[in-house]
Amino acid sequence: MAVAVLPFSFSTRAPAAAAIPFLSPTKTKTNPPCPCRCSANPNPNPNPPPSVGITASLLDPLLLNFFRAKMVHEVGWDSPRPGYDGLIQVANRLLNAKSNQQTQLSALRVLKSLFPTWLLVLFKMLVAPIAHGQLASMMLARATALSCKWLMGPCSVNSVLLPHGNSCSSGVFVERCKYLEESKCIGICINTCKLPTQAFFKDYMGVELYMEPNFEDYSCQFNFGVPAVCPAVDKALKEPCLEICTNANRRRELGRTESDIAQCPQL
């Protein structure tokens, strides 16, 4: 652990009598150093330690490659494109090669493979029951906001309303989801992210999660500790294709009516 050295020191030496001609040497007093001066540092350390954000950004390429490797293993195919673009192509292949239900199960297996089995078991058994799940919900919200910016973009922890009426800082607000914007597809969002992620946290970590993607501004609200709504009434599953959807724009060019593209065919 690094210890910062304050850029000043205390002195207990009394000033020389000759320096104060109007006082006699016998009346010169030595004031002890104030023990609270250390809290009023006028010259802060010019070289602060690296922030958590910088450290996290250095890990982003490693997290991307790790996650992509798990996706490739599940799909059985890899894109020739490097980086994030290649990851999106792998997600597209996963969605197009299987039914929606199979895609969701595949994505769920990918999420499970990111964690040691013992960690999931212990978290669900020991942490999830504490304080009716509120502690686990807050922990997961912070871990998500800290470790998933490489995938989703800027995000922050916020407060959400729990089912019993209390407010809890167990939410994560994604300002503009990079995964949704780059994939340009509601189907990829729902079948490879929203539904499998909700199921993963509930089934394998013992924490309820309800995700609310906004397909107009591409933001997303994670509500840890809040049960997901039934798919039959989840409004996110009834949305039309995105304006930037490549397939929807192609159908428009072919003269299809708006009723033909009223709902994403991948839902």
Side-chain angles (χ1 to χ4, degrees):
M1 178 181 294
V3 178
V5 179
L6 297 177
F8 60 85
S9 61
F10 297 120
S11 173
T12 56
R13 299 173 58 185
I20 311 177
F22 54 84
L23 294 177
S24 64
T26 57
K27 294 184 179 180
T28 301
K29 295 183 179 180
T30 301
N31 295 322
C34 175
C36 63
R37 288 181 60 191
C38 58
S39 62
N41 182 5
N43 299 309
N45 184 3
N47 298 310
S51 67
V52 174
I54 295 176
T55 304
S57 65
L58 296 177
L59 294 176
D60 285 354
L62 298 177
L63 294 173
L64 170 59
N65 292 334
F66 178 65
F67 183 77
R68 177 171 174 170
K70 298 295 185 180
M71 288 277 287
V72 168
H73 178 75
E74 177 66 30
V75 176
W77 175 86
D78 195 7
S79 167
R81 292 188 181 181
Y84 203 94
D85 288 344
L87 173 64
I88 295 299
Q89 285 197 332
V90 175
N92 269 293
R93 175 66 67 93
L94 174 63
L95 181 67
N96 294 324
K98 301 181 179 182
S99 67
N100 288 348
Q101 185 177 10
Q102 291 173 331
T103 299
Q104 294 163 25
L105 293 175
S106 291
L108 184 58
R109 285 193 293 269
V110 171
L111 292 174
K112 285 175 56 182
S113 70
L114 299 175
F115 301 88
T117 302
W118 61 266
L119 178 61
L120 298 178
V121 172
L122 290 179
F123 189 94
K124 184 176 182 179
M125 180 174 60
L126 300 178
V127 181
I130 299 175
H132 304 288
Q134 289 192 34
L135 175 62
S137 297
M138 291 189 293
M139 291 175 61
L140 291 176
R142 283 151 181 77
T144 299
L146 179 64
S147 63
C148 293
K149 291 181 180 180
W150 68 270
L151 178 63
M152 304 182 299
C155 51
S156 58
V157 174
N158 62 0
S159 294
V160 299
L161 190 64
L162 300 180
H164 51 68
N166 291 346
S167 178
C168 180
S169 59
S170 59
V172 177
F173 180 71
V174 182
E175 297 177 10
R176 190 176 180 88
C177 182
K178 181 179 180 181
Y179 189 69
L180 174 60
E181 188 170 18
E182 293 296 327
S183 67
K184 302 179 175 64
C185 180
I186 289 180
I188 287 183
C189 167
I190 297 298
N191 294 305
T192 72
C193 182
K194 173 180 161 64
L195 294 181
T197 301
Q198 291 176 168
F200 169 75
F201 281 108
K202 178 182 178 180
D203 297 341
Y204 296 98
M205 303 196 79
V207 176
E208 299 279 3
L209 170 63
Y210 176 42
M211 295 172 61
E212 298 178 278
N214 186 321
F215 297 121
E216 294 183 359
D217 61 9
Y218 305 150
S219 65
C220 186
Q221 175 65 50
F222 285 63
N223 302 281
F224 287 99
V226 178
V229 300
C230 176
V233 297
D234 193 338
K235 61 181 181 180
L237 277 64
K238 306 180 186 302
E239 291 286 338
C241 286
L242 299 174
E243 290 294 330
I244 60 174
C245 175
T246 305
N247 292 330
N249 289 332
R250 187 177 298 117
R251 293 197 298 274
R252 291 188 182 96
E253 292 173 357
L254 294 174
R256 300 287 181 86
T257 63
E258 287 300 320
S259 60
D260 293 332
I261 53 179
Q263 184 176 6
C264 176
Q266 302 288 2
L267 296 179

